[in-house]
C-alpha cells in the first residue's frame, strides 16, 4: 500500500535561542531532521515530504539529495495548516505517516506499527503517558478508564483544569488514511486559544464519522521526546548515547563509564575491547579484538587492528593502525596515516599521509608528513620531514632499519638508504647512502678567549 511520510519542520524553535533552525541542531553529530529522514528511509518505499518554513533555505539545503520533497508553509498557522500545504502532493489512497522534525529518536519499528494500525481505514495516534504532561495535547477518552474509546485531543492551552490532569498525551506522531486526512485537514478551523489550525482536531472529525481511532503507546519515552531547548537537546543526547553505550556493552565492550562515552557515527568492535572515559568516536570506526582506548581520545574514521593500544588524549582521523601498535599519549594521526604492526607513535608526534612499516617507531616530538617509513625505522625526538616547499608537497622515503637521530630536518623530496644512520641535528637535503652514518651540521668549534658582550657601564 502506498505510504506518504510527512515530516513537520516549519516551526520556529524560539526556545533554542539560536539562529540555526531547530531541526538542524545536531544530535550525535547529525541534524535532528536527518535522524528522522533516516528512520523514514528505513520504512521502505515511501514518498517523503518535509514541511519547511522558518529557516526554509537552510533546511532545504540540508535535505537536498535526500530524495525528500520540501514543501514550504508560509506563514506558519499551526500543525493543521502545515498539513494543508502538502495536500496537493499526497497520494489519492494509502496511508500518510506524520513525523516531527524535532522528535529525532522515533524508531522505525514503532512507526511501522502505527502505519499497520491504520489499515482498514483507521486513524492511529502515537501516545504516551507522562508524569509531567504540561504543554502537550491530552487524549480524551470515553469514561475515565484507559481502555475507553478515543474521543479527541485537547491542546493544553484549551484544556479545562480537569482535562489537564490527564497524563496520556499525543506525541505529535500519527498515521491516517490519506484520502480521509486530506478531507479532514481542509475542513479545519482555527477557533481555539492559539488561533491556529490544529491537526489534532481531525480526531474529533474521525470520531464523528465513526472512523475507528486507535491510540498506541510508544514503547519508550526517549522515542517521542521532542527538542525545544538546549537543555532538552542535551538530555536527549545523553539518552541516545546511553542507548548506544548499552548496545556496545551488550556486545561485550568494556566501558569505564557508559555515561562518559560519545559515538557520533558507527563503531564496530571485536572481542575484549576496552574504552576508558571521555572518548569521542566519529564517522566510521572499527576496533579489532583486544584494542584498548585510553581516556579522552577523539577518533574519527579509523581502523584499529587487534591488540593496538591508544593511550590517552590521542587524536586520530582517517588513519589505519596495525596490530599491536602503540599510539600516544598526546599523539595526532591525521588523514592517510597508515601504521603497520607493532608501530610505536609516542607523545607529541604528528603523522599525516604517511606509511610506517612494521616495527617503526617515532616516540617523541616528531612530524612525519608525506613519508614512507620502512620497517624498524627509529625516528628520533624532535625530527621532522619538511614536506612542503610553500607551493608543493614532496615525499620523504626512509629505508628499513634507518635511525634518524634527534632534531633532524629531512627536506623532501629526499630518500634515506636502508640501514643508514642520520646524526642528530642534521639537515638532510640530499639522498643518503645505505648503511652509512650521514651527518649534516656545522662542525662544533670552541673559541678560546671569546667574551660575552657587556652592557656599557654607567659613568
Ligand atoms: C503539538 C500537538 C500536541 C502534541 C505536541 C507534541 C497540535 C495542534 N498539537 O503541539 O497535541 O502533544 O505537538 O509535541 O498539533 N509545525 C509546523 N508548522 C506550524 C506549526 C508547527 O510545521 O505552523 C511543526 C513544528 O516545526 C513541529 C511540529 O509541527 O515540528 C509541532 O509543532 P509545535 O508547535 O511544537 O506543536 P505543539 O504546539 O507543541
Ligand atoms: Ca504550537
Amino acid at each position: 500500500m502506498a505510504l506518504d511520510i510527512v515530516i513537520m519542520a516549519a516551526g520556529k524553535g524560539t526556545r533554542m535561542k539560536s539562529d540555526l533552525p531547530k531541526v538542524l541542531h545536531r544530535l550525535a553529530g547529525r541534524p535532528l531532521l536527518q535522524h528522522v529522514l533516516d528512520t523514514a528511509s528505513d520504512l521502505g518505499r515511501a514518498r517523503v515530504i518535509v514541511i519547511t518554513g522558518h529557516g526554509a533555505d537552510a533546511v532545504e539545503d540540508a535535505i537536498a539529495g535526500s530524495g525528500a520533497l520540501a514543501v514550504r508553509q508560509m506563514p506558519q498557522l499551526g500543525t493543521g495548516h502545515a498539513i494543508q500545504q502538502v495536500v496537493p502532493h499526497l497520494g489519492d489512497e494509502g496511508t500518510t505517516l506524520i513525523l516531527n522534525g524535532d522528535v529525532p529518536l522515533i524508531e522505525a519499528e514503532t512507526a511501522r506499527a502505527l502505519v499497520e494500525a491504520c489499515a482498514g481505514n483507521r486513524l492511529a495516534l502515537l501516545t504516551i503517558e507522562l508524569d509531567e504532561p504540561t504543554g502537550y495535547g491530552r487524549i480524551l477518552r470515553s469514561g475515565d478508564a484507559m481502555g475507553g474509546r478515543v474521543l479527541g485531543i485537547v491542546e493544553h492551552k484549551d484544556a479545562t483544569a480537569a482535562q489537564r490532569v490527564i497524563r496520556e498525551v499525543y506525541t505529535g506522531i500519527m498515521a491516517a488514511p490519506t484520502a480521509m486526512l486530506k478531507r479532514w485537514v481542509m475542513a479545519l478551523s482555527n477557533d481555539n486559544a492559539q488561533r491556529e489550525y490544529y491537526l489534532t482536531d481531525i480526531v474529533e472529525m474521525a470520531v464523528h464519522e465513526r472512523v475507528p481511532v486507535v491510540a498506541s503507546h510508544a514503547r519508550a519515552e526517549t522515542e517521542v521526546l521532542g527538542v525545544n531547548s538546549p537543555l532538552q537537546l542535551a538530555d536527549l543526547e545523553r539518552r541516545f548515547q546511553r542507548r548506544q553505550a548499552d548496545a556496545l556493552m551488550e556486545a561485550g565492550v568494556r566501558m569505564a563509564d557508559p555515561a562518559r562515552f560519545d559515538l557520533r557515527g558507527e563503531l564496530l568492535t571485536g572481542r575484549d575491547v576496552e574504552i576508558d572515559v571521555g572518548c569521542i568516536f566519529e564517522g566510521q570506526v572499527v576496533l579489532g579484538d583486544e584494542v584498548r582506548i585510553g581516556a579522552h581520545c577523539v577518533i574519527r574514521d579509523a581502523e584499529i587492528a587487534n591488540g593496538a593500544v591508544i593511550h590517552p588524549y590521542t587524536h586520530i582521523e582517517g588513519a589505519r593502525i596495525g596490530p599491536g601498535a602503540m599510539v600516544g599519549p598526546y599523539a595526532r594521526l591525521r588523514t592517510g596515516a597508515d601504521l603497520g604492526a607493532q608501530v610505536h607513535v609516542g607523545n607529541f608526534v604528528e603523522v599525516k599521509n604517511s606509511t610506517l612499516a612494521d616495527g617503526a617507531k617515532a616516540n617523541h616530538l616528531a612530524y612525519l608528513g608525506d613519508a614512507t617509513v620502512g620497517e624498524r625505522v627509529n625516528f628520533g625526538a624532535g625530527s621532522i620531514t619538511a614536506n612542503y616547499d610553500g607551493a608543493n608537497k614532496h615525499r620523504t622515503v626512509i629505508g628499513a632499519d634507518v635511525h634518524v637521530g634527534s632534531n633532524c630536518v629531512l627536506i623532501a623530496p629526499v630518500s634515506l638508504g636502508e640501514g643508514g644512520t642520520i646524526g642528530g641535528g642534521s639537515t638532510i637535503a640530499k639522498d643518503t647512502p645505505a648503511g652509512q652514518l650521514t651527518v649534516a651540521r656545522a662542525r662544533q668549534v670552541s673559541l678560546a678567549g671569546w667574551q660575552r658582550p657587556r652592557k656599557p657601564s654607567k659613568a
Side-chain angles (χ1 to χ4, degrees):
M1 201 167 55
L3 177 63
D4 289 328
I5 301 175
V6 179
I7 303 173
M8 315 238 269
K12 190 160 183 192
T14 313
R15 281 186 282 158
M16 288 303 290
K17 300 193 173 142
S18 166
D19 293 334
L20 188 67
K22 178 164 76 175
V23 295
L24 297 186
H25 281 268
R26 285 169 188 274
L27 181 101
R30 266 148 62 228
L32 298 174
L33 182 56
Q34 190 59 51
H35 286 265
V36 184
L37 285 168
D38 289 349
T39 304
S41 73
D42 286 347
L43 292 172
R45 281 179 57 85
R47 185 183 0 230
V48 180
I49 302 172
V50 177
I51 302 172
T52 61
H54 273 281
D57 289 336
V59 175
E60 287 165 13
D61 278 352
I63 65 172
S66 72
L69 173 71
V71 173
R72 286 200 185 193
Q73 181 200 13
M74 297 286 190
Q76 295 83 37
L77 303 179
T79 51
H81 179 255
I83 300 299
Q84 287 174 357
Q85 313 312 304
V86 304
V87 162
H89 304 279
L90 295 175
D92 293 325
E93 47 179 25
T95 305
T96 296
L97 171 69
I98 297 175
L99 300 174
N100 268 299
D102 59 358
V103 181
L105 299 185
I106 180 73
E107 285 179 36
E109 209 179 306
T110 304
R112 198 174 291 123
L114 204 64
V115 169
E116 278 161 17
C118 202
N121 279 341
R122 291 192 276 210
L123 176 61
L125 308 173
L126 189 64
T127 68
I128 191 161
E129 279 191 57
L130 294 180
D131 291 334
E132 187 33 89
T134 303
Y136 286 88
R138 307 301 206 283
I139 305 295
L140 305 179
R141 288 175 181 267
S142 61
D144 44 19
M146 269 290 301
R149 277 184 309 114
V150 175
L151 299 178
I153 298 175
V154 61
E155 288 307 302
H156 180 89
K157 287 193 174 131
D158 300 286
T160 63
Q163 289 169 331
R164 286 186 181 181
V165 174
I166 297 170
R167 289 172 45 232
E168 189 188 8
V169 305
Y170 171 53
T171 60
I173 294 170
M174 70 164 73
T178 302
M180 290 178 175
L181 176 71
K182 293 203 283 191
R183 188 160 48 74
W184 291 331
V185 294
M186 295 320 291
L188 288 171
S189 79
N190 64 350
D191 183 15
N192 54 52
Q194 304 187 81
R195 294 260 144 238
E196 282 180 13
Y197 294 87
Y198 290 165
L199 174 61
T200 44
D201 285 348
I202 70 168
V203 177
E204 214 172 301
M205 296 180 183
V207 170
H208 189 74
E209 292 180 18
R210 299 185 183 282
V211 170
V213 179
V214 287
S216 44
H217 271 39
R219 288 180 308 156
E221 188 185 67
T222 304
E223 268 195 272
V224 295
L225 286 178
V227 172
N228 297 297
S229 65
L231 199 87
Q232 288 176 343
L233 181 60
D235 173 51
L236 217 54
E237 176 82 31
R238 286 338 302 163
R239 287 170 186 250
F240 183 73
Q241 291 301 344
R242 184 59 205 237
R243 203 158 85 179
Q244 297 190 123
D246 288 354
L248 285 163
M249 289 188 294
E250 203 85 13
V253 173
R254 293 193 293 275
M255 272 184 206
D257 183 358
R260 283 179 287 171
F261 167 80
D262 285 86
L263 169 56
R264 302 168 189 161
E266 204 183 348
L267 179 61
L268 295 176
T269 52
R271 287 179 77 79
D272 287 302
V273 166
E274 287 181 26
I275 300 174
D276 211 333
V277 300
C279 292
I280 299 174
F281 296 87
E282 299 180 319
Q284 300 281 323
V285 176
V286 180
L287 305 180
D289 296 342
E290 289 171 39
V291 165
R292 275 161 42 206
I293 310 290
H296 303 290
C297 290
V298 179
I299 302 178
R300 175 202 292 246
D301 296 322
E303 231 180 283
I304 302 180
N306 295 353
V309 178
I310 312 299
H311 290 294
Y313 298 100
T314 291
H315 287 220
I316 297 173
E317 175 167 5
R320 266 186 23 202
I321 296 167
M326 277 175 25
V327 181
Y330 300 101
R332 181 167 183 217
L333 304 185
R334 294 167 54 199
T335 304
D338 189 344
L339 317 190
Q342 312 294 332
V343 163
H344 292 185
V345 170
N347 39 232
F348 308 109
V349 173
E350 176 180 344
V351 180
K352 188 217 73 177
N353 193 30
S354 294
T355 307
L356 279 68
D358 296 356
K361 293 186 172 70
N363 273 326
H364 335 263
L365 301 161
Y367 174 60
L368 282 161
D370 303 306
T372 304
V373 179
E375 295 179 2
R376 298 171 301 278
V377 163
N378 195 321
F379 199 75
S383 290
I384 66 153
T385 53
N387 57 323
Y388 185 51
D389 61 15
N392 306 295
K393 304 258 168 80
H394 301 283
R395 283 203 84 76
T396 301
V397 178
I398 306 178
D401 298 300
V402 165
H403 279 210
V404 176
S406 295
N407 224 30
C408 293
V409 179
L410 309 180
I411 301 174
V414 71
S415 178
L416 313 185
E418 285 188 15
T421 300
I422 309 299
S426 292
T427 296
I428 303 292
K430 289 186 293 205
D431 291 357
T432 63
Q436 295 183 19
L437 169 67
T438 302
V439 185
R441 61 179 181 236
R443 194 178 298 262
Q444 180 168 327
V445 292
S446 300
L447 303 181
W450 177 84
Q451 295 208 320
R452 285 189 198 160
R454 291 211 192 96
K455 288 183 182 162
S457 56
K458 287 174 208 139

